[in-house]
Amino acid sequence: MRIFKNLTKDKLGTISLLVIIVTMVVGIFAPIFAPHAPEEVHMSLRYASSSWDYLLGNDHLGRCILSRIIYGIRPSVLWVLVVLFISVLIGSVLGFIAGYFRGKVDATVMRICDTMLSFPGYVMALAVVGILGVGLENILIAFILIKWAWFARIIRTSVMQYAELEYVKFAKASGISDIKIIYKHIVPVTFSDIAVISSSSIGTMILQISGFSFLGLGIQAPNAEWGMMLNEAREVMFTRPESMLAPGLAIIMVVSACNFFSDALQVALDPKLITSKNKLQEDLTISKIKLQKRWQNNL
């Protein structure tokens, strides 16, 4: 409740959260919101302008662009959230184990993470696609293989910081089991760090999956996906730029909302940042009043 109250104080963060929620709801219930089937071809309506039946017009096969935008939410956003959850879950488990138990367990987990992180993300994804073949499922598998190590390393650092606190050491000395200590004392204090790094990764992953689909390595036709829609509209980008405008704006809007929400969530979870932000706003207000008084005195 406190986090939600702090979050609602940030208007931009609240609007961004609403945009994300609405996008997810529309994507989940796409058959209800989409006016037409996304794969329905009408060659007679090829590159038709917007109308009451087709609000955003039609693409090179006469398909409804609005319907394809709505169905494109599923691979572009919803599946990204599923992959993010799996990656964070794997990274959290290994990060907690490595950061709490230390020793050989920590060394083993970190060497595996170092190996995974030694390859650039796009190179690893291309390698997975080269082995498993193109397709959305293989890109999602590649994302899991790339992201879990990054989450494990960051979460491990956070766990090591809190594991050295006095009350955790006292709990160990009292004979409380390690699992209970992690569950009751470590997980609650590291939740804010996990939430922030997870939310900050959503926008990046949406851009990456759209980028791979734009290159033809992600979801394949006739399925709808925002990056693939941009690729399909390249041939008419100068004669009919509105064909690229809709999927491009969809990507920009959702990614921007995720980034703004991540910033607002970080401030809401950290009281120090709230105090600093309020103090900065007060200083700016005072400075503005002083400048106005000087300007009036000069007149």
Side-chain angles (χ1 to χ4, degrees):
M1 183 61 67
R2 179 183 62 83
I3 297 174
F4 181 76
K5 185 177 180 181
N6 294 334
L7 187 62
T8 53
K9 294 179 181 178
D10 191 329
K11 293 182 180 179
L12 185 58
T14 304
I15 294 172
S16 300
L17 178 59
L18 290 176
V19 170
I20 295 171
I21 293 174
V22 169
T23 302
M24 292 175 60
V25 171
V26 172
I28 293 172
F29 299 102
I32 298 175
F33 291 97
H36 302 277
E39 302 171 6
E40 187 178 344
V41 176
H42 297 283
M43 294 305 295
S44 59
L45 297 175
R46 190 169 182 263
Y47 293 126
S49 301
S50 60
S51 62
W52 286 112
D53 291 332
Y54 300 91
L55 294 178
L56 296 180
N58 303 75
D59 62 5
H60 64 293
L61 295 177
R63 297 172 297 189
C64 178
I65 293 178
L66 176 59
S67 299
R68 293 182 65 77
I69 289 288
I70 292 174
Y71 274 88
I73 295 173
R74 293 181 172 183
S76 299
V77 180
L78 298 183
W79 278 111
V80 166
L81 294 177
V82 173
V83 170
L84 178 66
F85 175 78
I86 296 174
S87 301
V88 171
L89 182 62
I90 297 173
S92 298
V93 172
L94 294 177
F96 274 104
I97 293 174
Y100 182 83
F101 292 102
R102 309 281 185 89
K104 294 182 179 180
V105 175
D106 181 26
T108 303
V109 173
M110 286 303 101
R111 294 299 76 76
I112 298 174
C113 290
D114 291 340
T115 303
M116 298 300 297
L117 295 174
S118 62
F119 298 97
Y122 281 101
V123 174
M124 176 68 75
L126 290 174
V128 173
V129 171
I131 296 172
L132 301 179
V134 298
L136 178 63
E137 298 84 359
N138 299 332
I139 289 293
L140 297 179
I141 293 173
F143 277 10
I144 294 173
L145 293 176
I146 295 168
K147 295 294 182 179
W148 75 264
W150 184 74
F151 287 121
R153 177 169 287 280
I154 295 178
I155 293 170
R156 173 241 188 196
T157 303
S158 179
V159 171
M160 289 178 65
Q161 175 186 356
Y162 293 111
E164 294 297 326
L165 296 178
E166 294 297 329
Y167 68 87
V168 176
K169 293 181 179 179
F170 178 79
K172 290 181 181 178
S174 301
I176 300 176
S177 63
D178 293 327
I179 296 177
K180 195 171 183 180
I181 292 174
I182 292 174
Y183 175 72
K184 285 197 169 183
H185 298 294
I186 306 296
V187 172
V189 293
T190 56
F191 174 77
S192 59
D193 296 336
I194 297 173
V196 170
I197 62 173
S198 300
S199 60
S200 63
S201 301
I202 299 175
T204 303
M205 294 178 69
I206 292 174
L207 287 175
Q208 288 177 342
I209 195 168
S210 297
F212 280 113
S213 296
F214 179 81
L215 297 174
L217 301 176
I219 193 168
Q220 300 297 301
N223 298 308
E225 199 278 332
W226 295 345
M228 188 179 67
M229 292 178 68
L230 287 173
N231 185 24
E232 292 174 344
R234 280 190 308 165
E235 298 178 359
V236 292
M237 62 182 298
F238 295 110
T239 58
R240 300 191 63 86
E242 65 273 12
S243 299
M244 298 189 71
L245 191 61
L249 286 177
I251 294 173
I252 293 173
M253 182 182 67
V254 174
V255 171
S256 299
C258 292
N259 291 335
F260 289 136
F261 172 70
S262 175
D263 294 338
L265 182 62
Q266 185 176 6
V267 173
L269 290 171
D270 193 342
K272 296 179 182 178
L273 292 178
I274 297 175
T275 305
S276 301
K277 185 177 180 181
N278 293 335
K279 187 175 183 302
L280 179 60
Q281 290 177 347
E282 291 176 0
D283 293 341
L284 289 173
T285 304
I286 293 172
S287 300
K288 186 177 180 180
I289 294 172
K290 288 181 178 179
L291 287 173
Q292 288 177 348
K293 288 182 177 180
R294 287 182 184 177
W295 182 73
Q296 292 173 356
N297 291 333
N298 290 335
L299 292 177

